[in-house]
Amino acid sequence: MRAAPPHEMVHEGTDASGMEEWRCPVCGRHFIVRWPPDYERLVLAEGDPEATHVGTKGEVGLSGIEVAPASDPGEDDWRRWLRDNGIDWDGPVD
């Protein structure tokens, strides 16, 4: 069974007291929140309670990520890493 894609919350703004307004454009979830240490949250519209909601503020985000398999380091690479991290070891690398 494949999980549904997460819904991305949109930060609508922050008032002078630090309360933030967040809204989900997919299901309509809508709440206001103040983060710790004075945590408060008021849900204005429940939206889809089964959905996973995610969100970020500011200019944080990733796109176009490519993942390539790491090359298998040789014995010299391992010895160099050990030495660079303060580990003196002359045994075989298994």
Side-chain angles (χ1 to χ4, degrees):
M1 183 174 172
R2 177 176 268 178
H7 294 187
E8 187 168 345
M9 300 292 292
V10 175
H11 178 237
E12 298 286 330
T14 304
D15 72 9
S17 73
M19 294 295 283
E20 297 179 2
E21 181 180 1
W22 290 85
R23 183 184 310 270
C24 177
V26 177
C27 71
R29 182 170 177 80
H30 186 199
F31 62 87
I32 55 175
V33 64
R34 181 188 347 254
W35 301 108
D38 299 319
Y39 179 77
E40 290 182 68
R41 184 178 68 155
L42 174 62
V43 176
L44 303 172
E46 184 69 27
D48 181 356
E50 300 295 317
T52 299
H53 288 89
V54 298
T56 60
K57 284 192 330 185
E59 300 201 19
V60 176
L62 301 173
S63 64
I65 303 295
E66 291 185 30
V67 178
S71 61
D72 186 21
E75 186 171 338
D76 290 337
D77 293 331
W78 284 111
R79 289 182 191 278
R80 186 173 20 264
W81 183 91
L82 290 168
R83 184 185 65 247
D84 290 348
N85 287 280
I87 302 170
D88 291 326
W89 190 70
D90 291 324
V93 177
D94 293 330

